[in-house]
């Protein structure tokens, strides 16, 4: 058969196939588009109608590659489904009884047009196509800038700002650039001042990595601008999602136009402070700075001038100057007038410790100088005694002894204070403080007594009777504590504490008594034997009991009188007639008096008067 005959036969076959499909009575129905995430299972349903099913029907699934159909699976009506070998889907595709094509572990390469073709024998042949779409979200975009980035304002060519990379997405993701939160128009023309250079890399996995580099000609207003990129990608259901990168700023160089020189310290400066002055310009990078004080050069560190532990001699006018070679016409200088506050040491007259006798007068004078209005206060502890620099103590007593401080301060400068301390010693006859009585559970027990005394020189203690003694100092007082047995003599006469120094003697008696046990009705007895009165609560409770008893007795007595009167009216008393005769025979006082008294302060009495009826 020659080529012309073969071509005519092929053309005839094609025409016959087309005629069969077009004239077929069978109809095929599929889902036009199926969407799935990479790695998931895709199901492509297929049904047909128009002819009763027969054993001769055959359902086949094809893919289209480079304009050519290739079968991947088939199933006869009532038979078993099979998949074809040596296809991109081999080992991952099956066809079910309902002719649904199932693809497991879907890959981006599975994104193809699938055809479900039904061969119904005499009823004809028909097919329908479905598109499989595979999706995969890219990673968070990575934004980097050149390691040696140094962009200068005024350059005639655009400089690289940064590169944004979004890895492993499908379908191919899109990168959008933002400056200060606003999207930048997408330009690819390199003649523009701002443009992007995009690129896409197809990975071995079938996923796409998108890359975009941003170029700009920034100006000085962009020195603080913040850049970031966003990757935009598609997901099933016509969803458009985004992922945002971290942000970057650019290293922009621009000339200086003015300089500032400022004191970093927030509070007013005082002697002893560390002072920092900062000089800077509005350009980048910062130029070299020169410092001077009152016209004399001094050394700084970059834009900082640091003075450690300043003194009043550090006051003056400090100047900072700079030269920017990119803008030689700019006047770059600044000045600071430094004020250092001070407070001189506080001087006290007399400066030595004072010793005074009881009743004497003592006086100190306190003075200081400062750079601003100041105060002078005399204090003992936290108590303010004077605010005019003079401390005068009239009629000195032992409690006035101790340490006094003169404190100077400058209220307008935080922490600027100074102080000097002096000491006052008071000499005199010792004085014992009011003694506290001792208590014991019973005679013969041990008791401890504490004797506190003022006096200078420190007094000597004598206890009568004596015991085990210890001495301590508490502030201006000397305290002696004695421990001894509470004998009958001690219980009766107490214990005497005597103190002595070169100026005199003082003594006090410390009584010792028995403790009253809790809940015991026995009264506590003093050494003299006089009982201590019961508490007011007990007295009140006893009086209440007496009142109740009296009321009950009166009620009972009233009942008794009423009973006697009733019996007398009924003539049932043995002595009632005799009494009547005696009453009628003479004039007798017929009042009957019943009286009751108590020996308590709240007495109650009942008085009944009853005159008997006259006989008829």
């Amino acid at each position: 058969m020659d080529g012309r005959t073969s071509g005519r036969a092929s053309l005839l076959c094609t025409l016959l196939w087309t005629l069969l499909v077009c004239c077929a009575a069978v109809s095929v129905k599929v889902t036009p588009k199926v969407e799935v995430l990479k790695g998931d299972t895709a199901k492509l349903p297929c049904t047909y109608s128009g002819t009763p099913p027969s054993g001769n029907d055959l359902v086949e699934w094809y893919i289209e590659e480079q304009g050519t159909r290739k079968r991947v699976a088939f199933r006869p009506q009532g038979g078993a489904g099979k998949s074809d070998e040596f296809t991109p889907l081999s080992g991952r595709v099956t066809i079910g009884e309902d002719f649904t094509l199932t693809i497991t572990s879907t890959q981006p390469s599975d994104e193809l047009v699938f055809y479900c073709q039904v061969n119904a024998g005499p009823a004809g042949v028909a097919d329908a196509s479905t598109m499989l779409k595979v999706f995969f979200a890219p990673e968070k975009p990575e934004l980097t800038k050149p390691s040696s980035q140094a962009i200068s304002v005024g350059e005639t060519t655009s400089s690289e700002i940064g590169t944004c990379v979004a890895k492993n997405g499908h379908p191919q993701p899109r990168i959008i650039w933002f400056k200060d939160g606003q999207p930048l128009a997408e330009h690819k023309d390199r003649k523009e001042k701002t443009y992007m250079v995009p690129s896409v890399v197809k990975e071995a996995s079938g996923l796409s990595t998108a890359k975009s580099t941003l170029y700009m000609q920034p100006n000085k207003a962009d020195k603080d601008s913040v850049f970031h990129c966003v990757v935009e990608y598609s997901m099933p259901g016509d969803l458009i999602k985004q992922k945002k990168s971290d942000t970057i700023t650019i290293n922009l160089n621009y000339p200086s136009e003015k300089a500032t020189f400022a004191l970093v310290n927030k509070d007013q400066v005082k002697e002893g402070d560390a002072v920092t002055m900062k000089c800077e310009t509005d350009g980048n990078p910062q130029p070299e700075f020169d410092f001077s004080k009152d016209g004399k050069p001094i050394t700084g560190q970059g834009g900082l001038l640091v003075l450690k532990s300043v003194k009043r001699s550090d006051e003056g006018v400090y100047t900072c100057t700079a030269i920017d070679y990119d803008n030689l016409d700019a006047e770059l200088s600044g000045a600071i007038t430094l004020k250092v506050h001070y407070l001189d040491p506080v001087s006290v007259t007399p400066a030595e410790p004072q010793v005074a006798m009881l009743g004497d007068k003592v006086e100190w004078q306190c003075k200081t100088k400062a750079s601003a209005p100041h105060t002078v206060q005399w204090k003992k502890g936290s108590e303010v005694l004077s605010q005019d620099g003079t401390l005068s103590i009239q009629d000195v007593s032992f409690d006035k002894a101790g340490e006094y401080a003169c404190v100077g301060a400058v209220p307008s400068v935080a922490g600027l204070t100074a102080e000097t301390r002096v000491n006052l010693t008071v000499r005199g006859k010792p004085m014992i403080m009011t003694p506290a009585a001792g208590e014991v559970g019973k005679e013969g027990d041990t008791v401890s007594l504490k004797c506190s005394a003022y006096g200078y020189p420190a007094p000597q203690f004598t206890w009568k009777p004596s015991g085990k003694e210890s001495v301590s100092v508490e502030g201006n007082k000397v305290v002696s504590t004695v421990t001894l047995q509470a004998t009958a003599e001690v219980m009766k006469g107490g214990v005497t504490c005597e103190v002595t120094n070169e100026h005199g003697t003082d003594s006090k008696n410390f009584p010792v008594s028995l403790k009253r046990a809790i809940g015991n009705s026995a009264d506590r007895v003093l050494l003299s034997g006089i009982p201590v009165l019961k508490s007011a609560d007990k007295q009140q409770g006893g009086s209440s009991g007496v009142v109740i008893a009296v009321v009950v007795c009166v009620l009972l007595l009233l009942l008794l009188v009423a009973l006697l009167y009733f019996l007398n009216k009924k003539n049932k008393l043995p002595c009632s007639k005799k009494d009547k005769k005696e009453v009628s025979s003479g004039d007798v006082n017929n009042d009957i008096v019943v009286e009751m008294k108590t020996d308590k302060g709240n007495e109650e009495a009942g008085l009944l008067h009853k005159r008997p009826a006259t006989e008829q």
Side-chain angles (χ1 to χ4, degrees), residues 468-610:
K468 184 178 179 181
E469 182 183 1
S470 63
V471 179
S472 62
V473 177
E474 298 178 3
N476 296 334
K477 299 178 294 184
V478 183
V479 180
S480 173
T481 303
V482 69
T483 301
L484 71 167
Q485 188 178 19
T487 61
E489 179 184 359
V490 168
M491 298 293 292
K492 181 178 181 181
V495 181
T496 299
C497 174
E498 181 178 281
V499 292
T500 303
N501 67 7
E502 62 186 49
H503 299 291
T505 301
D506 190 17
S507 65
K508 289 286 190 301
N509 183 267
F510 288 72
V512 179
S513 60
L514 292 175
K515 294 180 182 176
R516 184 182 58 172
I518 298 175
N520 192 344
S521 60
D523 296 328
R524 188 173 63 190
V525 180
L526 292 177
L527 296 177
S528 60
I530 302 174
V532 178
L533 295 178
K534 294 182 180 179
S535 66
D537 290 342
K538 290 193 173 183
Q539 290 183 19
Q540 189 174 9
S543 299
S544 299
V546 172
V547 171
I548 294 172
V550 170
V551 171
V552 172
C553 291
V554 169
L555 290 175
L556 291 175
L557 193 56
L558 287 173
L559 289 174
L560 178 60
V561 171
L563 180 62
L564 292 174
Y565 176 74
F566 177 77
L567 293 176
N568 182 56
K569 291 290 289 182
K570 298 295 184 177
N571 294 324
K572 292 186 178 182
L573 288 175
C575 57
S576 60
K577 293 183 179 180
K578 180 179 178 180
D579 291 342
K580 286 182 179 180
K581 292 179 181 179
E582 289 177 358
V583 169
S584 61
S585 63
D587 296 332
V588 184
N589 187 351
N590 11 359
D591 287 341
I592 301 175
V593 179
V594 178
E595 185 177 33
M596 178 178 180
K597 294 183 179 181
T598 68
D599 56 354
K600 300 294 182 182
N602 47 358
E603 298 179 349
E604 291 191 15
L607 183 61
L608 302 177
H609 296 276
K610 185 66 182 178

Side-chain angles (χ1 to χ4, degrees), residues 5-70:
T5 304
S6 176
R8 288 177 179 177
S10 176
L11 178 61
L12 181 61
C13 289
T14 301
L15 290 173
L16 289 173
W17 176 264
T18 304
L19 182 64
L20 285 172
V21 171
C22 294
C23 299
V26 65
S27 173
V28 179
K29 184 178 180 181
V30 295
T31 302
K33 182 171 68 174
V34 174
E35 297 179 328
V36 66
L37 294 177
K38 174 183 175 294
D40 289 352
T41 298
K43 291 184 177 294
L44 283 61
C46 177
T47 59
Y48 68 93
S49 61
T51 178
S54 70
N56 295 326
D57 295 349
L58 178 66
V59 177
E60 299 171 296
W61 276 97
Y62 290 85
I63 60 173
E64 188 173 64
E65 283 187 325
Q66 300 177 351
T68 303
R69 291 190 181 185
K70 186 173 185 177

